[in-house]
Amino acid sequence: MRLPLPGLDLIDVCKSYGDVPVLERVSLSVAPREFIAFLGPSGSGKSTLLRIIAGLETADSGEVWLDGERIDPLAPGARGIAMVFQHYALYPHMTVRENMAFGLVNAKVPKDEITRRIAQAADILEIGAQLDKKPGQMSGGQRQRVAIGRAIVKQPRLFLLDEPLSNLDAALRGRTRVELAQLRQRVDAALIMVTHDQAEAMTLADRIVILDNCCIQQVGTPAEVYARPANAFVARFVGSPPMAMLPGVIAGAEGGRVQVRLAEGMMLATAVPAGGLVAGTEIEVGLRPEHVRLAAPGTSGAAAEVELVERLGDRTFIYARLAGGAEIIALEPGFGTVRPGDAAALVIDGEAAHIFTAGGAAHHPEPRG
Amino acid sequence: MAWTVLLSFKSNAALMADSGAAFAPPWTLENYAAILQGSLTLQWLANSLIVATGATIGVLVLSSLAGYGFARLEFPFRRSLFVIVLLGLAVPEQAVILPRHQLFAWAGLHNSYPGLILPSLTGSFGVFFMTQYFRAIPKELDEAALLDGASRFTLFWKVLLPLTWPAQATLGVFTFLAAWNDYWWPLISATTSDYFTLTVGLASAQMNYAQTSGLGFLMAQAVFASIPILVVYIAFQKQIVRAMAGTAVR
């Protein structure tokens, strides 16, 4: 048996709706003051997991511990948790001040203490002038701040944020992201954020928990999940555009490193250690766009046909199809001139390639020396 | 309406002579004086107010509680019970009025305020209406309140109920008007004039041939009985319009 430590501990949490499993034996430890992002596609169970922690759903089995106390039998209001809802869930008939005070009044916090906490939170969130307005009179961004304020005044042990930025327009989202990062510095509690936006997860979280298919696929820092994805799902899910997957066969090893023959017949010398990979095994080669580029004019490369070009100003993504039919994505700096339909020669950095076996297990390249 | 009001200020005799006389003076308050001189008129007014107010409060309390239950609580046979409530909408008063009369006679409820109020509380429209309204309130609000440590009652009383105010106003006005205007049941249940409501009482005070020889008086009765209703409409106009427009919860 594991000893629950300070912070949040999930132990073998299972949940299903009727016959449909949603979470299967999910275990996770979150350190105090850690910022965690639950990242996954729709239906991956990330929101359900958050709601189980909050007490809004009951797990079929498993335990939830917070700071050494088992909280899963407790009512939501007794867990010392505050949550910011996706649609804010502010009480429409109450003023901002009353919204923030509601939880404290229920907890029988003394009046002057309530006043003090609200003033402090309003100060942090710069909503002091709005305290007597009702939510209906405020913009989306302001409501978001009130929702965060309502969470802060409770001085919770754990903050839960359900898709906190999804209701904001692009400009406001960027600003709020910075504010969330600042908020994190000010509060003495762990934060868990559910998101399907990997940019949010990558920029805000200390660690990202990637969920899919009822299970945690990987837990790691943003750098880890990007550079060393635990399996093919994570490799495809993290990164925008995603990692390209090229079918191939292990051809052999040279210097202890795997050589791969791609479906095109092309040989690729990787930096993946050969241990455990037998020649003849069918695999997928994962390549990030930044490891594929257009060959300089007059030099040779893998022949491909350009299908789509995404120009972002500072860089250009080139979606191409190799002669053997596999899709690949290349990255060029600046505003590329290549056009859809063009024939292109691609230079593939084999030493950056990842190898995924049929079961989805990942083999990563050795770090460059 | 203008016609009714104008006629109410004419003497019966003048109208007998020429109903077109309504547009010209002399006007008189004698019809209203006659109404108020009826020794029981003020009692009937009070009865109507008591019955309509009692019915309104009763319907609002019961419908809110039942609506909240149907919309938010899990209990056995919830769906079947709600279907029964819906079926209740299809039962006309005519179908139940005889058994109801028998039942109230057996219980000794005729000629009493409870006897006049209770039948209004059995209508299922209010329950249906409030259930739909509670259902339209986002569940996130319940969840936020639960995380804020609210009890079930606090959640109902301080978060959800205040949000149903527009629906309460609409349902309240409709119930009040229906109870105020009801003629049939008070006619059956109240057999002593002490318990007449205004509608029954005024009708009982009509002279024979009222349509011809007492036209001014008849019109004054109609105006007199409508005043409280007008007051209710004007007072709650905003809520009624808002609830009809269905934009109440945002």
Side-chain angles (χ1 to χ4, degrees):
Chain A
M1 161 143 182
R2 293 161 48 186
L3 271 186
L5 299 166
L8 178 78
D9 270 281
L10 303 175
I11 304 171
D12 287 342
V13 171
C14 296
K15 174 78 182 171
S16 56
Y17 293 118
D19 295 338
V20 184
V22 184
L23 296 169
E24 284 172 357
R25 295 177 66 86
V26 169
S27 296
L28 177 70
S29 290
V30 177
R33 306 209 60 202
E34 196 176 17
F35 196 150
I36 293 283
F38 288 174
L39 179 65
S42 304
S44 58
K46 57 190 192 298
S47 284
T48 307
L49 190 56
L50 195 79
R51 293 168 60 81
I52 287 174
I53 297 170
L56 299 173
E57 305 260 359
T58 314
D60 298 338
S61 62
E63 298 172 12
V64 184
W65 294 75
L66 185 59
D67 293 345
E69 179 191 7
R70 187 166 173 190
I71 60 166
D72 57 279
L74 301 181
R79 297 183 174 203
I81 289 175
M83 182 159 167
V84 176
F85 288 83
Q86 186 173 9
H87 304 285
Y88 316 136
L90 299 175
Y91 313 120
H93 57 298
M94 296 185 195
T95 62
V96 169
R97 192 191 305 277
E98 289 164 343
N99 262 285
M100 287 162 73
F102 186 69
L104 302 179
V105 171
N106 289 333
K108 302 203 165 55
V109 175
K111 248 189 187 156
D112 44 341
E113 171 70 8
I114 296 180
T115 314
R116 195 185 62 76
R117 286 198 205 171
I118 291 178
Q120 196 183 15
D123 205 36
I124 293 176
L125 296 165
E126 296 167 18
I127 48 173
Q130 266 101 35
L131 283 179
D132 294 310
K133 284 190 185 167
K134 291 195 175 163
Q137 299 164 292
M138 310 177 84
S139 69
Q142 288 172 327
R143 282 185 226 178
Q144 169 79 287
R145 285 157 177 244
V146 176
I148 293 172
R150 186 171 66 176
I152 290 181
V153 294
K154 289 202 275 186
Q155 302 184 344
R157 294 184 283 178
L158 176 64
F159 276 93
L160 304 178
L161 306 151
D162 190 3
E163 306 259 4
L165 307 180
S166 63
N167 271 343
L168 304 174
D169 62 49
L172 203 51
R173 197 176 307 164
R175 217 181 73 197
T176 312
R177 207 151 72 190
V178 175
E179 284 172 0
L180 275 181
Q182 291 169 343
L183 168 72
R184 181 272 158 81
Q185 307 299 326
R186 289 205 182 92
V187 299
D188 185 24
L191 287 94
I192 298 179
M193 171 178 77
V194 159
T195 179
H196 61 261
D197 180 340
Q198 51 172 295
E200 268 172 37
M202 297 288 249
T203 50
L204 286 172
D206 298 323
R207 284 193 300 158
I208 299 177
V209 176
I210 295 173
L211 286 135
D212 184 54
N213 202 15
C214 315
C215 296
I216 291 180
Q217 301 291 329
Q218 186 171 7
V219 181
T221 64
E224 281 166 1
V225 296
Y226 186 80
R228 300 179 68 82
N231 53 41
F233 170 79
V234 175
R236 283 199 180 91
F237 191 72
V238 174
S240 175
M243 191 181 270
M245 293 290 190
L246 313 178
V249 176
I250 305 279
E254 198 175 297
R257 292 170 155 197
V258 169
Q259 300 260 342
V260 175
R261 182 183 297 112
L262 295 180
E264 285 64 35
M266 195 180 127
M267 293 295 289
L268 200 63
T270 72
V272 176
L277 289 169
V278 183
T281 312
E282 292 198 357
I283 47 110
E284 282 186 311
V285 176
L287 283 164
R288 295 250 179 235
E290 57 267 35
H291 301 131
V292 181
R293 57 186 173 79
L294 292 177
T299 58
S300 65
E305 188 187 330
V306 176
E307 295 196 325
L308 181 72
V309 180
E310 240 177 34
R311 294 189 178 87
L312 300 178
D314 59 335
R315 64 210 143 134
T316 301
F317 289 109
I318 298 152
Y319 294 72
R321 197 172 287 281
L322 291 172
E327 283 178 46
I328 191 165
I329 305 166
L331 175 64
E332 282 291 298
F335 214 79
T337 54
V338 65
R339 286 186 305 186
D342 287 358
L346 301 176
V347 177
I348 296 172
D349 179 1
E351 297 207 347
H354 304 257
I355 289 177
F356 300 93
T357 52
H363 298 260
H364 302 294
E366 286 173 340
R368 290 171 207 241
Chain B
M1 246 175 79
W3 181 245
T4 309
V5 173
L6 280 173
L7 289 189
S8 74
F9 287 107
K10 297 295 291 184
S11 72
N12 291 328
L15 290 174
M16 276 282 277
D18 174 13
S19 62
F23 294 105
W27 285 298
T28 169
L29 287 172
E30 66 177 41
N31 295 322
Y32 288 97
I35 290 174
L36 293 176
Q37 273 157 16
S39 57
L40 283 169
T41 307
L42 289 179
Q43 172 71 42
W44 296 336
L45 182 69
N47 288 349
S48 275
L49 282 173
I50 290 168
V51 170
T53 308
T56 305
I57 292 172
V59 165
L60 289 183
V61 170
L62 291 176
S63 302
S64 302
L65 289 171
Y68 171 71
F70 278 124
R72 286 294 203 263
L73 302 182
E74 291 291 338
F75 53 90
F77 307 114
R78 184 177 68 159
R79 279 165 172 271
S80 327
L81 284 172
F82 193 64
V83 169
I84 293 173
V85 168
L86 289 182
L87 289 177
L89 288 172
V91 179
E93 191 182 19
Q94 287 83 343
V96 297
I97 206 144
L98 273 180
R100 187 200 286 164
H101 170 68
Q102 301 280 21
L103 180 70
F104 277 48
W106 171 80
L109 284 170
H110 287 313
N111 289 311
S112 72
Y113 290 128
L116 291 169
I117 293 172
L118 283 175
S120 305
L121 310 187
T122 60
S124 50
F125 174 75
V127 175
F128 168 71
F129 186 67
M130 291 311 297
T131 302
Q132 296 307 94
Y133 208 85
F134 273 112
R135 278 185 182 159
I137 298 175
K139 279 218 171 116
E140 264 197 353
L141 286 182
D142 299 44
E143 295 174 346
L146 290 179
L147 273 164
D148 270 345
S151 62
R152 274 267 166 220
F153 180 75
T154 305
L155 164 64
F156 172 72
W157 187 248
K158 291 209 172 144
V159 177
L160 297 180
L161 200 59
L163 293 176
T164 64
W165 165 236
Q168 305 274 356
T170 311
L171 181 61
V173 169
F174 286 160
T175 309
F176 189 89
L177 296 183
W180 186 273
N181 289 330
D182 192 17
Y183 180 72
W184 202 25
W185 178 249
L187 183 67
I188 293 168
S189 184
T191 50
T192 66
S193 54
D194 287 351
Y195 281 99
F196 283 177
T197 57
L198 198 58
T199 46
V200 176
L202 290 180
S204 76
Q206 275 178 19
M207 295 160 274
N208 288 335
Y209 309 110
Q211 316 287 335
T212 49
S213 63
L215 197 56
F217 182 69
L218 192 68
M219 293 303 167
Q221 281 186 334
V223 172
F224 184 73
S226 323
I227 289 170
I229 289 179
L230 279 176
V231 171
V232 167
Y233 254 127
I234 291 165
F236 289 92
Q237 207 174 18
K238 224 170 84 182
Q239 283 75 22
I240 296 172
V241 172
R242 224 170 45 174
M244 292 295 186
T247 57
V249 180
R250 273 266 126 188

